[in-house]
């Protein structure tokens, strides 16, 4: 099965955060990302699910 990849605006909207917040998380190493051959940033669905689970645990 092929991985599902999402753009920064798509991920930011899904997580209800600003794109700049997502970029800060990426630069801080809090979220895993892939770079396309053209240099664009993409996020894998599995990595996002894992990150969201970690964020939920931190809040509790």
């Amino acid at each position: 099965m092929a991985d599902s990849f999402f753009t920064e605006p798509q991920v930011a909207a899904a997580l209800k955060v600003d794109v700049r917040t997502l970029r800060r998380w990426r630069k801080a190493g809090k979220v895993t990302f892939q770079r396309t051959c053209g240099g664009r940033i993409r996020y894998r669905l599995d990595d996002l699910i894992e990150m969201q689970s970690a964020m939920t645990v931190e809040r509790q």
Side-chain angles (χ1 to χ4, degrees):
M1 179 182 248
D3 289 333
S4 296
F5 289 91
F6 298 93
T7 64
E8 283 186 325
Q10 289 173 321
V11 173
L15 296 177
K16 297 181 179 158
V17 298
D18 193 273
V19 172
R20 291 173 292 187
T21 300
L22 185 60
R23 288 178 184 156
R24 280 193 299 272
W25 290 348
R26 176 173 43 90
K27 290 176 183 178
K30 293 183 179 183
V31 62
T32 306
F33 67 96
Q34 303 290 319
R35 197 173 288 274
T36 67
C37 294
R40 307 273 184 189
I41 302 296
R42 297 291 183 262
Y43 298 90
R44 281 184 10 162
L45 179 60
D46 293 341
D47 293 336
L48 296 172
I49 292 169
E50 185 177 316
M51 184 187 84
Q52 192 171 29
S53 296
M55 289 173 59
T56 303
V57 169
E58 287 178 9
R59 289 182 184 171
Q60 292 178 356

